[in-house]
Amino acid sequence: MKDNQKKTLELLDQHGESLHRLLSRLTRCEHTTSDLMQELFIRLSGGRGFAKALNPYAYAWKTAANLAFDWRRKQKINFEYLDPTMLSDESSQHTLEQMIQQEQINRILHITCGFNELARNVIVMRFIEQKSYQQIAERLGKNPDYLRSLCSKKLKHLQTILNKEISSHQKGGE
Amino acid sequence: MAKKLTEQDIIRNFEKITEFNAPKETITRDIDNIHQMLKEPGAQASPADQNVWRIIMQNKWTKRVSAAVIFIAILIGISNLPQSELSAAELLIKVSEKMANIKWAKNTSKTYLPGNDKPANSSTSITDVKNKQVFLVYEKGYLHQLDYKNQVKSVYRPDDNTMIVSKLKGKWVGPERKVKQFIEKLKTEGLEVKQSKEVIDGIEMTVIEYDETLNDINPEPDKYMSKMLFAGKSVKTIKKKLVINTDRMNLSSSQVSYFDPEDNPIARIVSETEIIESGPTDIYELGAPKDAIIINKIPDEQVKDIRKKISENQGSFTKNYVAVYIQRLAEKDNNRIMEALVIYCQGKKLRVDSFYSGSYAKREKLTEKRKDILQGSIDILRRHVPADEALAMHHVSIYDGLWQHKLEIRDKEFVLNPKQRRPDGDARGNDDLDDFGWRILWWLGDPEHMYEDEFSKENDLIAMELTAQGSSNRLPKRLALYVDPAKDYLYRRYIDKRILDAPWQIEKIEDCTQKHEDVKIYDIVEYAQTSAGKWYPKTITINGYSKTTGKKRQSDFNRKCKIFLIEENPKLQQELFDPQILE
């Protein structure tokens, strides 16, 4: 068995679940997760970067996040209001709330796609994987205070874009 | 999506993403597949789950190639393409185009429950494409008119002969909606599609189907919850089917079936679509009587202005003070304390010491143990609470400008809760002095609108109302707010009602799983002013009741709350806000 193949299999055994979880959270689609997971490991097994990587998990994590965000960027996101005729007889109010939240989540992920790679990854590690700034700093080799400030700025940025969209929807609906 | 999002809302949404987990069996299956693939020499990306349709719709090149194949096929006169998935894509797009050009369509929809051939409910919709209107006829005479041109929704309710006119949300989509949804769903989510032929009433139809599996979003193990609930049950699988009349190139019928995690059917909705020549011009022609009482709920622009003024006044209330809030039972013989708060506010920092009345002997003993942090507040409270009325700690919360810390007595022990990040302010948003006086209505329901009644007229108040429709798992809710512009837009009365037999409910609820009815009316009966002239509530009464639906017995709720502004701009010691003292 070649070294790189062995390294990939070891990664799959040790961190397969965690990478699957990352992909499923970022894509929120089981089919896509399966596809991207397969693509990730094919890339890793054939890639020189992975073969040379000192921290294979960190390398794989970054590749997985890039794959998921690339996929999300290619998706057509329809930010339209929900159609009430569709909901009036087929869904309850609770479902509507759930759908609004799903919509918000998709929009947040879609906007996060547009951030630069570092900001995007810090946001994912901090808010989705719930890592401390110290842990993120160790992984990325950055200063935790810088990451804290970056996160705070990007959160504000997300809020501004989302609220702008909400305002324009409201104006459009009036 | 009317509410603006705070940073906290965004963090909460991220937390929801964290809760999202693929089923264990899916993870194991995917990892096993990759294991096998990696062990085989010359492994390739083999999309085992993909079929032709998925490949076509997910890849821009295959999409272009397939479009070229169709184009060439038409050019050289090949009318019969092989019965492959490719013709399903072509068929759906053609049907969608054809249906986008019709003038009138009628759709009859019936919901069937398992083991019953009779539909549980049915409805008919008539779509007027030219005027962008949809008319809906429900059972028992309920009629809806959805006017997308003017964004107005009219609902006729025969029970009390009322017509509720409100703002219509949503974008117009013509009769091709179902086909378009089908295409979009398959295009964006890459689901499997099956195509077959079926003879219905002697006509050969093309049947296109797909199954969608929803993920478990419940973080608790062994409990399944997906993003969709139907009839109070969590849906695991949705099976969708479109039946297309290939000769006429239109949608003949559609079927949506919902299944629970054990694959038991929950419900099946069957819809039949028909192209018609003409239909009603308005809701009256549909059958609504001319003498129906019109209730106009179109939201007033004024609502927005008032909300802005309320927020501005709340935001400008002094942020440096010490205050006491005492809530007592408003009964002559027993007016014991239900909650007493000592509030220390300094800019963004907030500390609230909360006490019960002393009927809990063990709590009193525990309180003694933390005299180090409580004595100051007890001394302040003693100015307003007689010495024979004991005070027992309930909790101490400290907000340090970012983090919320809380020490409370739970199960006869002191418990220090894990700190919570609150970039937008104190935890509950209801224990700061300004939270007691300024309120804004928010609930997922119909749009908030201006309102007028005897109480608002007599007291020169601005009234606003918001109602939410009940369903099989939620009671109808109404919130009303009477604001006094002469008192810095403090509220004068606030009503929070959740009852089954609600006059604002449009469609009757036969059975609701939520049984707890609750009515509370908050009145500010006495106001006071700060030294800078800013109004705040001095005395608030809370009256109401709660009861179980269908039962006569109700427990009344009568409270009287007093607020004392002890000190303005005090010099507070910083250790008051130091979370270390709670440890």
Side-chain angles (χ1 to χ4, degrees):
Chain A
M1 197 179 279
K2 285 177 186 172
D3 281 353
N4 205 25
Q5 196 182 356
K6 200 178 158 194
K7 198 173 172 182
T8 320
L9 279 168
E10 271 174 14
L11 178 86
L12 182 65
D13 289 338
Q14 285 173 22
H15 301 290
E17 270 197 39
S18 139
L19 291 166
H20 195 283
R21 212 177 299 128
L22 172 72
L23 286 169
S24 68
R25 285 170 182 170
L26 294 180
T27 61
R28 303 174 65 72
C29 172
E30 271 183 41
H31 290 286
T32 311
T33 303
S34 304
D35 288 349
L36 294 186
M37 190 73 179
Q38 206 173 50
E39 199 173 330
L40 169 70
F41 278 87
I42 285 169
R43 280 194 190 190
L44 296 177
S45 65
R48 284 184 194 166
F50 180 68
K52 288 179 189 168
L54 294 175
N55 183 343
Y57 174 63
Y59 185 91
W61 190 96
K62 211 167 137 183
T63 314
N66 286 344
L67 278 172
F69 280 115
D70 282 347
W71 170 84
R72 195 160 269 286
R73 211 174 290 119
K74 285 175 196 161
Q75 301 306 300
K76 265 190 182 174
I77 305 290
N78 203 3
F79 294 149
E80 298 300 342
Y81 280 112
L82 294 161
D83 181 359
T85 55
M86 194 179 86
L87 291 163
S88 57
D89 57 342
E90 291 180 14
S91 304
S92 63
Q93 197 74 357
H94 181 74
T95 314
L96 179 64
E97 275 175 42
Q98 300 262 3
M99 288 169 85
I100 287 172
Q101 185 161 45
Q102 295 306 315
E103 191 188 56
Q104 277 179 4
I105 287 173
N106 276 329
R107 291 168 64 203
I108 287 170
L109 284 171
H110 188 71
I111 296 165
T112 310
C113 269
F115 294 166
N116 65 44
E117 193 180 307
L118 175 68
R120 214 167 60 192
N121 291 348
V122 175
I123 290 269
V124 174
M125 286 182 201
R126 176 74 189 124
F127 297 119
I128 298 181
E129 296 199 324
Q130 316 264 311
K131 302 270 185 236
S132 70
Y133 286 112
Q134 194 56 44
Q135 287 169 312
I136 303 170
E138 279 164 20
R139 172 99 76 84
L140 300 175
K142 305 269 178 196
N143 183 324
D145 290 334
Y146 166 68
L147 296 177
R148 193 190 304 274
S149 126
L150 180 70
C151 242
S152 162
K153 271 185 201 162
K154 289 295 161 186
L155 201 61
K156 194 89 212 151
H157 191 176
L158 260 173
Q159 190 194 8
T160 312
I161 298 175
L162 283 166
N163 284 337
K164 221 181 242 178
E165 280 179 7
I166 290 170
S167 302
S168 64
H169 265 316
Q170 281 172 341
K171 277 177 196 160
E174 281 164 16
Chain B
M1 185 80 52
K3 194 189 154 217
K4 290 228 169 188
L5 296 171
T6 61
E7 283 186 17
Q8 198 53 41
D9 291 330
I10 297 170
I11 292 173
R12 241 174 261 133
N13 276 316
F14 274 121
E15 283 164 2
K16 282 278 162 204
I17 299 173
T18 309
E19 288 167 11
F20 182 89
N21 279 314
K24 187 84 186 155
E25 63 268 25
T26 310
I27 302 174
T28 314
R29 184 200 64 200
D30 287 349
I31 290 177
D32 287 349
N33 284 345
I34 296 169
H35 232 281
Q36 210 172 347
M37 184 186 78
L38 289 172
K39 279 182 176 171
E40 286 168 11
Q44 295 283 318
S46 56
D49 290 344
Q50 289 192 342
N51 65 10
V52 180
W53 172 269
R54 259 183 98 189
I55 295 165
I56 290 168
M57 299 316 271
Q58 285 194 327
N59 184 305
K60 63 178 178 183
W61 292 108
T62 48
K63 258 193 250 180
R64 286 174 194 173
V65 170
S66 68
V69 169
I70 296 164
F71 184 64
I72 292 164
I74 293 164
L75 273 184
I76 60 174
I78 301 171
S79 56
N80 287 326
L81 278 168
Q83 291 306 304
S84 66
E85 304 295 348
L86 184 63
S87 56
E90 184 196 25
L91 192 63
L92 282 177
I93 291 162
K94 279 192 173 177
V95 171
S96 164
E97 282 168 3
K98 171 85 190 292
M99 294 199 72
N101 289 320
I102 59 175
K103 288 177 182 164
W104 287 89
K106 186 178 170 187
N107 190 72
T108 311
S109 187
K110 289 176 183 169
T111 305
Y112 295 89
L113 298 176
N116 204 338
D117 290 341
K118 272 191 171 180
N121 65 53
S122 67
S123 66
T124 304
S125 75
I126 299 167
T127 306
D128 174 359
V129 179
K130 191 183 165 196
N131 294 306
K132 291 187 178 174
Q133 295 204 99
V134 179
F135 298 94
L136 295 151
V137 181
Y138 289 102
E139 287 169 336
K140 298 176 189 167
Y142 289 87
L143 306 171
H144 292 201
Q145 180 182 0
L146 310 173
D147 179 353
Y148 285 90
K149 224 178 206 175
N150 301 305
Q151 296 294 125
V152 173
K153 178 182 177 181
S154 308
V155 174
Y156 172 68
R157 202 170 66 159
D159 298 0
D160 51 8
N161 197 32
T162 52
M163 176 97 72
I164 298 172
V165 181
S166 59
K167 189 177 168 180
L168 175 64
K169 283 184 188 170
K171 198 181 154 193
W172 164 257
V173 189
E176 73 278 19
R177 174 171 60 88
K178 279 188 180 160
V179 181
K180 271 195 164 173
Q181 277 173 0
F182 222 83
I183 295 171
E184 276 301 310
K185 196 87 185 168
L186 297 171
K187 193 164 67 177
T188 54
E189 297 194 12
L191 299 162
E192 303 289 332
V193 68
K194 281 185 272 176
Q195 191 188 348
S196 58
K197 293 278 176 192
E198 213 173 281
V199 178
I200 300 168
D201 296 333
I203 304 166
E204 194 183 62
M205 304 276 191
T206 302
V207 180
I208 300 173
E209 295 167 89
Y210 74 82
D211 297 353
E212 187 183 358
T213 308
L214 304 181
N215 290 308
D216 184 1
I217 55 168
N218 198 340
E220 289 177 54
D222 307 325
K223 273 188 183 176
Y224 181 84
M225 187 184 86
S226 77
K227 64 183 176 183
M228 183 177 231
L229 281 177
F230 195 103
K233 289 178 184 171
S234 199
V235 177
K236 173 77 179 170
T237 314
I238 307 169
K239 295 188 177 188
K240 293 197 176 181
K241 178 177 171 182
L242 288 186
V243 178
I244 288 162
N245 184 332
T246 333
D247 286 344
R248 293 184 179 175
M249 250 336 147
N250 64 17
L251 178 66
S252 171
S253 67
S254 66
Q255 188 171 305
V256 187
S257 308
Y258 300 89
F259 295 84
D260 72 8
E262 277 81 43
D263 222 23
N264 300 313
I266 301 172
R268 184 167 53 97
I269 299 169
V270 180
S271 305
E272 289 191 358
T273 307
E274 212 185 312
I275 296 169
I276 53 173
E277 291 302 314
S278 65
T281 51
D282 57 30
I283 198 165
Y284 298 105
E285 216 176 299
L286 195 66
K290 293 266 186 206
D291 64 349
I293 303 152
I294 294 172
I295 300 169
N296 192 352
K297 293 181 79 175
I298 303 276
D300 198 317
E301 275 299 304
Q302 215 185 337
V303 170
K304 281 185 191 169
D305 294 342
I306 303 299
R307 284 180 77 131
K308 203 175 157 197
K309 281 175 182 153
I310 294 169
S311 295
E312 281 168 2
N313 277 284
Q314 181 172 13
S316 64
F317 186 74
T318 177
K319 291 288 173 205
N320 297 300
Y321 64 84
V322 178
V324 164
Y325 167 91
I326 300 171
Q327 187 186 112
R328 286 180 181 277
L329 279 176
E331 291 164 21
K332 279 181 186 171
D333 302 332
N334 181 6
N335 65 345
R336 70 183 167 91
I337 290 175
M338 298 310 291
E339 191 180 21
L341 308 175
V342 181
I343 306 161
Y344 306 90
C345 189
Q346 191 182 57
K348 276 183 93 176
K349 292 181 181 175
L350 180 72
R351 169 165 162 180
V352 181
D353 292 1
S354 164
F355 297 85
Y356 278 143
S357 74
S359 57
Y360 306 89
K362 280 184 179 156
R363 279 181 177 270
E364 271 187 80
K365 278 186 187 167
L366 279 169
T367 306
E368 286 289 322
K369 287 186 185 173
R370 291 312 310 259
K371 276 283 167 67
D372 55 330
I373 55 168
L374 296 169
Q375 194 57 57
S377 294
I378 292 172
D379 290 346
I380 293 172
L381 273 178
R382 279 290 169 224
R383 297 181 212 163
H384 308 280
V385 178
D388 59 347
E389 203 169 352
L391 290 163
M393 172 187 154
H394 180 257
H395 70 258
V396 176
S397 73
I398 292 178
Y399 176 66
D400 62 10
L402 181 65
W403 295 91
Q404 182 77 44
H405 310 263
K406 190 175 180 186
L407 175 72
E408 62 182 321
I409 296 180
R410 211 189 299 152
D411 297 332
K412 299 166 193 168
E413 296 286 344
F414 288 105
V415 179
L416 183 60
N417 293 335
K419 65 177 183 177
Q420 292 184 318
R421 195 171 181 270
R422 304 274 179 197
D424 300 316
D426 53 303
R428 295 183 297 164
N430 61 358
D431 42 15
D432 192 349
L433 201 55
D434 59 34
D435 296 325
F436 291 120
W438 287 277
R439 284 179 184 266
I440 284 178
L441 301 184
W442 189 86
W443 198 255
L444 189 77
D446 288 339
E448 187 179 346
H449 61 274
M450 300 306 287
Y451 171 77
E452 205 174 51
D453 62 5
E454 289 305 315
F455 184 73
S456 66
K457 281 187 219 165
E458 277 172 20
N459 297 286
D460 290 328
L461 303 171
I462 298 168
M464 285 166 281
E465 181 195 44
L466 186 152
T467 55
Q469 294 297 303
S471 64
S472 59
N473 57 4
R474 169 174 298 195
L475 287 169
K477 190 173 173 85
R478 174 177 181 259
L479 299 171
L481 186 68
Y482 297 79
V483 174
D484 191 344
K487 297 275 191 312
D488 294 333
Y489 290 86
L490 282 167
Y491 79 87
R492 165 67 184 82
R493 177 172 283 179
Y494 170 71
I495 301 171
D496 184 344
K497 259 188 193 178
R498 199 172 50 188
I499 53 172
L500 179 68
D501 194 15
W504 62 90
Q505 177 68 18
I506 297 169
E507 284 176 48
K508 203 179 173 196
I509 309 168
E510 295 300 338
D511 190 24
C512 183
T513 52
Q514 199 180 53
K515 303 282 183 201
H516 184 78
E517 296 189 21
D518 196 39
V519 175
K520 281 198 180 73
I521 300 168
Y522 298 73
D523 279 300
I524 298 183
V525 293
E526 190 185 356
Y527 293 85
Q529 278 176 293
T530 65
S531 54
K534 193 86 187 166
W535 290 99
Y536 68 93
K538 178 83 183 154
T539 309
I540 303 169
T541 60
I542 313 170
N543 297 300
Y545 66 87
S546 58
K547 74 181 202 83
T548 306
T549 301
K551 297 205 172 162
K552 280 187 181 172
R553 203 179 145 196
Q554 65 179 46
S555 51
D556 291 331
F557 190 97
N558 300 305
R559 304 277 169 90
K560 191 171 189 177
C561 316
K562 281 275 189 190
I563 292 169
F564 306 95
L565 185 58
I566 306 293
E567 205 178 344
E568 290 180 57
N569 302 312
K571 281 183 183 164
L572 297 172
Q573 289 180 347
Q574 283 315 298
E575 73 165 18
L576 261 176
F577 305 101
D578 182 0
Q580 300 277 339
I581 61 168
L582 302 180
E583 285 167 8

